[in-house]
Amino acid sequence: MKTLAAELAFFLRGQARQNLKLLILYCTFLLILVLTYSALFRFLMWQLEGREYSFLAGLYWTVVAMTTLGYGDITFTTEPGYLFSTIVTISGVIFMLILLPFGMISLFLAPWIEQRLRYRPTVALPEETRDHVLIFGFDAVTRALTRKLQNRQIPFIVVCSDHAQAVRLEEEGFRVLLGIPTDAQFLKGARVQAARHIIANLSDPENTNLCLTVRSLCETPIATLVGQLEHGELLRLAGANQAIALKRILGRYLATRATTRGALAHVLDSFGRLQIAEIPVQATPFAGQTLAEARIRQRTGLAVIGLWERGRFTTPDAATRLSPKALMVLAGTREQLEALEMVTGEEESDDLVLILGHGRIGCAAASFLDRRPVPFILIDKQPSPDCLDHVAVIGDATSPHVLRESGIDQAKGLIVTTNDDSINIFLTLASRHLNPSIRIVARANREENVDQLYAAGADFVISNASVGASILNNVLEGKESIFLTEGINVFRRPLPPNLVGQTIAESRIRPLTGCSIVALEREDAEEPLVVPPPETLLEKGMGLILIGSPEQEENFSRNFRG
Ligand code: ADP
Ligand code: ZN
């Protein structure tokens, strides 16, 4: 069935699609011809021979004449009638019996056979191939990763075990290798030993098997995406260098953005002592104030390094007004975050988050909230087969009745995390309608749907593919980096030697690269210096923690090479 669908799909792509249009046009022409002949037949029969026939009889006579069947049950008996019959029969031979089959063969059958014969899958790479990234398992995440690799001009090869998928990807312009990923001989042909990195994105057992096979051959680094959390350890044992629990990370991102609990609840990641955290402006007394009026720096020592609002990330300045709908991204130490918590005051009991969808991502979000602890209610169509920790309300979330019964009116936050984007869009719209002030965080399974989710009323959208691809990309670059959003990274670099002895203003890091310094790490001091003022002296042995887009990051590498 799958192969039939794949073969049929051939007719809906590229040149075959054009030809299909031509065929439809031709058939329309034939239809008009037949209808015209039928009408003429009735007219001539009545005029020449005084006989009256129905429309259906006319159609029948025309088709029988054009296909040269000629039953002879309805015939003309006059000379002009014979002439008309001859014309109809000859045009039938030309248009139906010669041109139609000829067109079918030359426009469809021949290209299809040619394509089948021409496609010779690549099963091994040339000897000199090296420094390539091998991608096992192609989906939305690895597709997004390939775009990043293309931008950075890193050669990559997609490995497929499915012939039809290989054909499709090759038609899209990817370099594809066809073979069994756990066959050592095939892996040697894929030049794993010379590869820069291996991305294992198959099922957990297949990834394990792949890691073991690769490790029996070479030490090339392997990054794998883990399906089930408990399998991470096994994958590492099998030889994976990184086992990335993407679903747990996504669950955590969704959860931190859905609650208005204090700052410590939102630590995204840390570089040594420096923590990067998020806090909704709404949870603080600063809503409506400008950054200068809020005096967050003076009160806590924390720096606001970014503002997130409806999918947009901006770097604020003193005059930026803090909208209650925004999230502040903060940099500072744990103690400074605690100081902020003293200012904002922990909101106790009145937070409630609804989670729609108890798949692995929904479950990870629930576990995260559980540890805070933030009260939540899970809703799913069916009981989860994998989870013993949570009890979900069983019901279809698309029914407003279920949402109301679960308390959407009182809820402060909502996480929409089913595996179907149309349902996620629908649920976002319906929930926004039922509770206009609720904070909605939605998951986009496909990047194309991010905008629709925002349009439906989501406050934050997390795209599986973007997050996954950015994490993998950071792993490939071997750099420590925190993913904030598509296009914004926080990253660490040693102080370039030629900047030693200059002040930050003299270093011209921001004008030259666009990156901003979030913090300075000093060898002798425990505390990183958060958002240092421009007159700060850059000293030998310091570490820089910067924020910027991938291009700005590249500018930094280009301008300040070791
Ligand atoms: P993941 O593991 O990536 O989170 P899953 O497919 O396991 O993805 O999870 C999606 C969950 O969403 C499933 O448990 C499914 O039952 C649930 N779901 C899908 N549609 C609805 C709906 N209309 N109402 C409630 N739950 C739904
Ligand atoms: Zn669970």
Side-chain angles (χ1 to χ4, degrees), residues 250-451:
L250 289 166
R252 202 180 70 197
Y253 276 130
L254 289 167
T256 56
R257 284 165 186 168
T259 159
T260 49
R261 278 286 167 99
L264 274 188
H266 307 278
V267 173
L268 286 176
D269 223 324
S270 52
F271 285 113
R273 303 234 326 123
L274 180 79
Q275 306 204 316
I276 307 287
E278 283 182 344
I279 186 168
V281 174
Q282 208 175 22
T284 70
F286 312 131
Q289 300 181 346
T290 64
L291 205 54
E293 288 161 0
R295 301 182 57 245
I296 297 171
R297 183 74 189 264
Q298 293 85 330
R299 285 156 120 166
T300 64
L302 288 168
V304 181
I305 57 172
L307 278 179
W308 257 107
E309 202 181 354
R310 289 185 68 95
R312 279 192 45 238
F313 185 90
T314 48
T315 319
D317 54 34
T320 307
R321 202 163 285 284
L322 300 170
S323 139
K325 278 275 181 179
L327 272 182
M328 288 190 279
V329 182
L330 304 161
T333 62
R334 194 185 169 80
E335 293 72 31
Q336 291 168 334
L337 287 168
E338 276 165 1
L340 178 73
E341 216 159 73
M342 300 291 286
V343 176
T344 58
E346 181 75 44
E347 279 180 56
E348 268 315 318
S349 53
D350 67 338
D351 207 354
L352 173 67
V353 177
L354 292 193
I355 304 175
L356 311 184
H358 187 199
R360 267 165 290 165
I361 297 179
C363 187
S367 304
F368 191 81
L369 293 177
D370 222 359
R371 285 197 298 274
R372 297 296 110 183
V374 173
F376 61 86
I377 295 172
L378 274 163
I379 303 171
D380 201 297
K381 274 196 298 206
Q382 57 207 33
S384 159
D386 310 317
C387 171
L388 298 174
D389 300 336
H390 308 122
V391 182
V393 173
I394 302 300
D396 189 333
T398 51
S399 131
H401 181 66
V402 170
L403 289 179
R404 269 205 211 97
E405 289 282 295
S406 311
I408 191 153
D409 302 332
Q410 292 93 50
K412 291 271 159 45
L414 175 78
I415 298 176
V416 184
T417 172
T418 81
N419 51 345
D420 180 331
D421 281 347
S422 309
I423 292 186
N424 288 350
I425 292 169
F426 180 84
L427 289 175
T428 304
L429 199 67
S431 313
R432 176 57 75 220
H433 185 66
L434 290 171
N435 183 344
S437 64
I438 200 167
R439 168 182 293 274
I440 301 180
V441 188
R443 138 189 181 191
N445 298 291
R446 297 167 63 89
E447 267 175 289
E448 302 89 275
N449 295 323
V450 170
D451 292 342

Side-chain angles (χ1 to χ4, degrees), residues 27-97:
C27 288
T28 316
F29 160 73
L30 277 185
L31 189 71
I32 293 172
L33 195 69
V34 169
L35 291 178
T36 316
Y37 283 154
S38 308
L40 267 175
F41 163 83
R42 292 177 69 206
F43 174 76
L44 291 177
M45 269 298 183
W46 179 245
Q47 289 293 322
L48 300 173
E49 323 210 346
R51 280 185 281 167
E52 189 174 1
Y53 283 97
S54 68
F55 173 74
L56 205 64
L59 205 63
Y60 162 76
W61 178 86
T62 311
V63 171
V64 166
M66 286 185 84
T67 51
T68 70
L69 280 173
Y71 293 132
D73 48 352
I74 307 175
T75 49
F76 283 96
T77 49
T78 54
E79 296 275 319
Y82 292 151
L83 185 66
F84 176 61
S85 304
T86 313
I87 293 172
V88 172
T89 308
I90 290 177
S91 64
V93 168
I94 294 174
F95 292 118
M96 268 190 185
L97 304 186

Side-chain angles (χ1 to χ4, degrees), residues 109-178:
L109 198 60
W112 179 71
I113 291 173
E114 195 189 314
Q115 187 230 314
R116 299 292 305 185
L117 292 179
R118 197 187 52 211
Y119 180 67
R120 296 237 182 286
T122 318
V123 292
L125 294 173
E127 280 288 308
E128 63 280 6
T129 315
R130 52 187 322 100
D131 267 346
H132 53 302
V133 174
L134 282 167
I135 299 175
F136 293 82
F138 198 78
D139 62 5
V141 173
T142 35
R143 183 183 282 278
L145 175 69
T146 59
R147 279 197 288 274
K148 289 181 186 289
L149 295 176
Q150 263 156 0
N151 286 344
R152 292 172 47 216
Q153 299 181 335
I154 294 178
F156 62 88
I157 289 123
V158 181
V159 183
C160 291
S161 53
D162 177 51
H163 189 277
Q165 190 192 25
V167 177
R168 220 169 34 247
L169 290 175
E170 206 149 271
E171 273 186 7
E172 276 189 53
F174 289 106
R175 248 181 108 186
V176 181
L177 209 54
L178 183 71

Side-chain angles (χ1 to χ4, degrees), residues 172 181 238 411 454 506 520:
E172 276 189 53
Y454 276 119
E506 287 163 355
L520 284 178

